Amino acid sequence: MSTLSLVLLLSGITSIALLACYLDAKFQWRLNDWMNGKCSNPFIASKASVQAQQLKQKDEQIKTLMERVETLEAIVTEPAYELNKKINALR
């Protein structure tokens, strides 16, 4: 094998591996698993999409909880709330 053909072969294999890694990261196609014999069809939705959906739900829940906490903080730090608390303490 000549040097040129060896370099072209190695660069081709490297390019295919890097392309598979990119597509796995971008679209969760599981091409690396398929090339290593860990799955029969790389285009079946993986657990990554389910985990991404659960993560999105958690993010939405955290956002709503943060809004509620901000509302409660605004109520508690409001001067009228403290005045009402002092009036109730006098009773």
Side-chain angles (χ1 to χ4, degrees), residues 5-6 13 22 34 44 47 50-51 58 73 79 87-88:
S5 62
L6 186 60
I13 291 171
Y22 171 76
W34 178 71
I44 294 176
K47 293 180 183 177
V50 173
Q51 289 175 348
K58 286 181 184 179
E73 286 176 347
I87 291 171
N88 287 336

Side-chain angles (χ1 to χ4, degrees), residues 53-86:
Q53 183 181 11
Q54 290 175 347
L55 185 62
K56 185 178 178 182
Q57 288 174 348
K58 286 181 184 179
D59 288 342
E60 290 173 2
Q61 185 178 14
I62 289 172
K63 183 179 176 183
T64 58
L65 290 174
M66 290 296 291
E67 290 172 358
R68 291 180 67 186
V69 167
E70 288 173 2
T71 304
L72 289 173
E73 286 176 347
I75 291 171
V76 169
T77 57
E78 188 174 306
Y81 177 80
E82 290 182 25
L83 180 62
N84 190 18
K85 191 175 179 182
K86 288 178 184 178

Side-chain angles (χ1 to χ4, degrees), residues 9-60:
L9 178 66
L10 289 176
S11 64
I13 291 171
T14 304
S15 298
I16 291 171
L18 288 174
L19 180 66
C21 289
Y22 171 76
L23 292 173
D24 279 351
K26 181 108 175 139
F27 302 109
Q28 288 85 31
W29 280 357
R30 301 175 58 200
L31 293 174
N32 285 326
D33 289 344
W34 178 71
M35 286 192 283
N36 291 322
K38 295 181 182 175
C39 70
S40 59
N41 187 349
F43 300 109
I44 294 176
S46 65
K47 293 180 183 177
S49 62
V50 173
Q51 289 175 348
Q53 183 181 11
Q54 290 175 347
L55 185 62
K56 185 178 178 182
Q57 288 174 348
K58 286 181 184 179
D59 288 342
E60 290 173 2

